[in-house]
Amino acid sequence: MTFRRMNQLDLTAKSVLIREDFNVPIAAGKVANDMRIRATLPTIEMARAAGAKVILMSHLGRPEEGVIIDQQVQFSLQPVADHLAQLLNCDVPLVNDYLTNPDCLSNTGSSVVLLENVRVNNGEKGNDANLAKSYAELCDIFVMDAFGTAHRAQASTHGVAEYAAVACAGPLLATELDALDRSLQDPARPLMAVVGGAKVSSKLEILKNLSTMADQLIVGGGIANTFLLASGINIGKSLHEPGLVDMARELMAKTNIPLPTDVVVAKEFAENATATTKQLTEIDDNDMILDIGPATALRFAELIGNMKTIIWNGPVGVFEFSQFANGTETVAKAIAKNTGFSIAGGGETISAIGKYSVTEDISYISTGGGAFLEYVQGIKLPAVDILEKVAF
Ligand code: AMP
């Protein structure tokens, strides 16, 4: 990718404005989970060590735009500033009036400052040019480091890069994009995509895009039901989308989609529902398919073992209920065991990875839910697009 990278620039004595993703859970005025904050520490330390004056900015939650933070203090980044101060072992003043009084940034005496929640600024969400210019004027160099917001064209993720004297990608963003490109642009083959989850409709663009590039596509979860129906199987009262049966047939004609041969069914969708393993020919009209069967799980694991690249999004069954979790657990462990390159992303997928303790064995776990899904769909992320446009 042809954008500038922070580590290629001379940051000495420069004001460096870094867009991070500090959208973390807050409870009782404190940061409840600091994973996202910790992920940004190498970027901040690198800029500090290079002699930069570091100005951090982020959003937190969904405050009302144009309403001052004092009237919606639950969206203040103060807990993040306090937490960062502890982690960095230095003062991290939170600055509120940076738009009306930009000079206040140089008067804090601290090498790291945090700007108050950008989403209270009028024009942030609409990518207003004047607001973007105001951000740009705060710095010599703008660094976009928040992959999780890269799919949004907003003033602090997109517009600012257009007007800043220099704009580049931060290490977190660059690492994420490199990992995605490794699996999507020039993957080692064979490449397999595993797409599970509830509905074909919510993953349609992903399925379409991956079916053109993957050597094998495993569909799981509710999604697989529509494919089974398209193959003439009675799926009883399983979750499915009749309107997408033809699309499923089209996708099966394009790429190799191995379907389950056995499934785990129940009469109801419930935590204590009785699970029964059945062959495809045995499914009753009042059965619901809630997981792939054990023989299918082993077959999929074997196929996964032969791959050089694997992209995974979505559970292959209702893994939240233990009696329907075997498929997702087997697939997760097989992906973890694979010695090729594996990338996974999406909320439920990350929960499953945590549940089966395979975090360390997946080559790359994407931090950005929506941004990951859009990238896998083949959509150009606006915040990355602008970094490329202004690069040279
Ligand atoms: P998604 O957000 O589309 O990735 O969907 C994830 C959800 O799909 C999980 O919460 C699973 O419980 C659910 N799911 C997986 N398999 C099935 C299935 N066979 N029937 C209904 N829901 C399913």
Side-chain angles (χ1 to χ4, degrees):
M1 256 187 233
T2 49
F3 45 68
R4 289 194 181 94
R5 293 171 186 244
M6 191 181 99
N7 60 3
Q8 297 166 338
L9 301 176
D10 179 8
L11 308 183
T12 319
K14 298 274 174 21
S15 284
V16 177
L17 174 63
I18 310 178
R19 174 60 161 99
E20 292 291 8
D21 181 2
F22 293 138
N23 187 29
V24 294
I26 306 284
K30 292 210 163 7
V31 171
N33 179 330
D34 70 352
M35 229 171 73
R36 280 190 177 158
I37 300 178
R38 283 181 187 273
T40 69
L41 296 179
T43 303
I44 301 170
E45 296 288 19
M46 190 190 291
R48 270 176 96 194
K53 161 104 189 164
V54 179
I55 307 164
L56 300 168
M57 70 171 165
S58 174
H59 72 286
L60 176 69
R62 293 166 188 248
E64 206 171 318
E65 208 171 283
V67 174
I68 59 167
I69 199 76
D70 292 349
Q71 288 176 17
Q72 37 182 352
V73 283
Q74 71 275 30
F75 297 110
S76 171
L77 280 166
Q78 188 62 57
V80 173
D82 296 343
H83 200 81
L84 267 172
Q86 274 176 24
L87 293 174
L88 294 168
N89 200 19
C90 73
D91 270 355
V92 180
L94 179 72
V95 181
N96 196 359
D97 53 350
Y98 51 94
L99 292 177
T100 48
N101 179 20
D103 288 342
C104 67
L105 290 176
S106 36
N107 301 336
T108 64
S110 177
S111 62
V112 185
V113 299
L114 175 61
L115 306 186
E116 187 53 282
N117 195 338
V118 290
R119 284 213 182 140
V120 302
N121 298 329
N122 258 327
E124 167 63 19
K125 276 187 269 170
N127 201 12
D128 177 75
N130 287 327
L131 179 61
K133 281 178 196 162
S134 302
Y135 292 148
E137 279 163 13
L138 300 175
C139 65
D140 303 309
I141 298 172
F142 167 69
V143 179
M144 175 61 186
D145 204 30
F147 178 76
T149 60
H151 59 312
R152 299 203 172 99
Q154 299 183 340
S156 70
T157 61
H158 181 274
V160 55
E162 198 173 338
Y163 299 110
V166 176
C168 65
L172 251 188
L173 177 74
T175 308
E176 183 103 25
L177 294 171
D178 288 344
L180 282 161
D181 277 357
R182 192 169 160 190
S183 48
L184 291 167
Q185 303 298 329
D186 187 20
R189 290 189 181 269
L191 162 70
M192 175 188 276
V194 179
V195 181
K199 288 185 165 183
V200 177
S201 51
S202 65
K203 305 266 172 90
L204 191 57
E205 296 308 318
I206 293 178
L207 288 165
K208 278 189 195 163
N209 194 35
L210 291 177
S211 69
T212 63
M213 62 174 82
D215 300 299
Q216 285 211 328
L217 177 59
I218 284 185
V219 289
I223 292 176
N225 298 339
T226 301
F227 284 77
L228 287 171
L229 187 63
S231 316
I233 307 292
N234 172 27
I235 57 165
K237 55 173 187 171
S238 306
L239 175 68
H240 69 283
E241 291 163 289
L244 288 169
V245 167
D246 286 344
M247 175 53 67
R249 281 200 195 101
E250 261 178 52
L251 292 171
M252 286 192 283
K254 257 199 238 166
T255 192
N256 181 359
I257 305 185
L259 290 177
T261 49
D262 61 343
V263 289
V264 183
V265 302
K267 301 292 180 204
E268 51 178 349
F269 186 98
E271 194 160 5
N272 56 0
T274 304
T276 312
T277 298
K278 289 193 171 182
Q279 299 303 304
L280 292 183
T281 47
E282 299 169 338
I283 299 169
D284 291 331
D285 288 347
N286 60 353
D287 275 336
M288 276 176 144
I289 303 170
L290 296 179
D291 193 13
I292 54 175
T296 301
L298 287 179
R299 184 165 60 98
F300 285 178
E302 203 177 305
L303 292 174
I304 289 167
N306 298 331
M307 295 297 138
K308 292 242 165 63
T309 306
I310 301 159
I311 302 167
W312 178 28
N313 169 255
V316 297
V318 183
F319 76 107
E320 295 91 338
F321 303 157
S322 58
Q323 67 279 41
F324 309 112
N326 176 62
T328 302
E329 179 170 2
T330 307
V331 163
K333 289 189 170 162
I335 294 174
K337 207 169 143 202
N338 178 288
T339 50
F341 185 75
S342 51
I343 183 161
E348 305 297 340
T349 314
I350 292 174
S351 312
I353 287 169
K355 191 166 175 180
Y356 305 122
S357 311
V358 293
T359 308
E360 299 303 318
D361 301 312
I362 307 282
S363 315
Y364 195 81
I365 298 174
S366 176
T367 55
F372 171 78
L373 295 179
E374 289 201 13
Y375 204 88
V376 176
Q377 280 172 43
I379 296 174
K380 193 127 211 180
L381 304 178
V384 178
D385 193 35
I386 189 73
L387 289 181
E388 290 181 344
K389 285 201 174 115
V390 300
F392 300 104

